[in-house]
Amino acid sequence: MWEKRMEWPLNAAAVLFLAAYAWPILQPSLGHTGKVWCEVVTWLSWAVFALDYGVRLKHAKDKRDFLKNTIFDLLIIMLPLIRQLRLLRLVMVLNVLNRNAGLSLRGRVVVYTVGATALIVFCSALAVLDAERAAPDAPITDFPDAVWWSITTITTVGYGDRYPVSGTGRVVAVGLMVAGIALLGVVTATLASWLIRRVTEADENAQAVTREHLDELTREVKALRAELAEQRAVVSPAASEPLGTARG
C-alpha cells in the first residue's frame, strides 16, 4: 500500500532532483542563489528517498530480511552524504525510477528499456561532464561531447575520440559500460523470448489445425460407418425374403 501511494511522489522527487542536479552542470554561469536553491531541492528530494526507505523498513514484517534484501538501497542513501561520493545520488534516482517503472509497466519491456537507456545516457553525461570539466586536457568539456561519449560507451562502440581522464570520470565510465552490457543482455533476451513465443504460437496453431482436421475426419468416418450400417440393415431383410419364399 505504501509503495503504491508513494509511486508518484517518488517520481516527482526524482525528476526534481535530476533537474536540480543538472541545472548547475548545464549552466556553469548560474549565480550563487540559483546554486543554493538547486542544492536545497536536491537535499529535500534526498530526504523523501530516505523517508520512503525508513517507512518501508518500519512496515516490513521481517526487518532483518528487509535490510538484507535492500542493503544496496541503504548504501546509496548513506554514502552520498559524503560530498566526494555525491555522484552516487544519481544511482538512487535511477533506482527509484526503475522501481516505479517496473511497477507500472508490468512487462512492457521495450518501452522500459528505451526509457531506461535514455535516462542512463543522460545521467552519465551529466556525471562525466561534472567530473571532467575542470580536469586539465580533458576531451569532454561540454554537454554534447558528454552525450556523444555516453552513447558510444553504452553501445560498447567506444570510438576513443572522447574519453574521461579523471578518476571520478573513469568510475562513471565503468558503471556505464556495465549498464550497456546489461541493457544489451535485456534486449537480446527480449528478442529471443519474442522469437520463442512466435514459434510456439505457430506450432500451437498448426497443432490446433491438425487436431481440428483429425476431429473432422473422425466425424466423417463415424457418419460413414453409421450410413453403411443403415444400408446393411436395409439390404439384409430384402436379401433373405426370396429365400424364405422359395423354401415355402
Side-chain angles (χ1 to χ4, degrees):
M1 179 64 71
W2 170 260
E3 291 187 0
K4 188 66 178 177
R5 186 181 302 170
M6 287 296 293
E7 182 176 345
W8 285 107
L10 282 176
N11 281 335
V15 171
L16 287 174
F17 179 93
L18 194 57
Y21 179 86
W23 194 1
I25 297 174
L26 298 177
Q27 187 180 347
S29 59
L30 185 66
H32 176 72
T33 304
K35 292 181 179 179
V36 169
W37 275 109
C38 287
E39 190 72 15
V40 170
V41 171
T42 57
W43 280 110
L44 289 177
S45 302
W46 199 251
V48 173
F49 301 153
L51 174 65
D52 172 66
Y53 184 86
V55 172
R56 287 191 293 135
L57 174 60
K58 180 181 178 181
H59 291 168
K61 295 180 180 178
D62 188 344
K63 291 181 172 50
R64 181 175 298 179
D65 186 62
F66 177 83
L67 288 171
K68 186 191 304 182
N69 294 330
T70 60
I71 186 66
F72 182 71
D73 291 355
L74 180 61
L75 287 176
I76 58 181
I77 284 176
M78 299 303 297
L79 289 179
L81 295 176
I82 306 173
R83 186 169 182 80
Q84 289 78 3
L85 299 176
R86 69 192 184 103
L87 287 178
L88 288 178
R89 298 177 186 178
L90 286 177
V91 179
M92 185 60 187
V93 172
L94 293 174
N95 185 58
V96 169
L97 292 176
N98 172 71
R99 191 182 80 194
N100 291 327
L103 290 173
S104 60
L105 291 174
R106 295 200 184 277
R108 288 186 287 176
V109 181
V110 175
V111 177
Y112 171 72
T113 303
V114 171
T117 302
L119 187 61
I120 291 173
V121 166
F122 179 69
C123 290
S124 300
L126 289 176
V128 79
L129 180 59
D130 189 27
E132 294 291 305
R133 177 175 280 154
D137 301 325
I140 303 174
T141 56
D142 55 34
F143 188 65
D145 285 344
V147 172
W148 171 251
W149 169 83
S150 294
I151 293 173
T152 58
T153 302
I154 199 171
T155 55
T156 68
V157 175
Y159 287 114
D161 55 342
R162 298 289 184 272
Y163 52 88
V165 295
S166 66
T168 304
R170 289 173 179 173
V171 170
V172 174
V174 170
L176 187 56
M177 293 173 196
V178 173
I181 295 172
L183 287 171
L184 181 62
V186 169
V187 172
T188 304
T190 303
L191 179 60
S193 176
W194 177 79
L195 289 174
I196 292 173
R197 187 175 66 251
R198 293 303 299 269
V199 170
T200 303
E201 289 176 355
D203 186 53
E204 290 176 351
N205 291 335
Q207 290 181 3
V209 171
T210 303
R211 285 194 297 269
E212 185 178 351
H213 287 169
L214 288 175
D215 292 341
E216 184 177 353
L217 288 174
T218 302
R219 288 192 297 269
E220 290 180 359
V221 170
K222 288 181 178 180
L224 289 173
R225 284 180 177 177
E227 185 178 351
L228 183 59
E230 290 177 359
Q231 291 178 357
R232 285 179 179 176
V234 172
V235 170
S236 294
S240 60
E241 184 177 348
L243 181 60
T245 304
R247 286 179 179 178

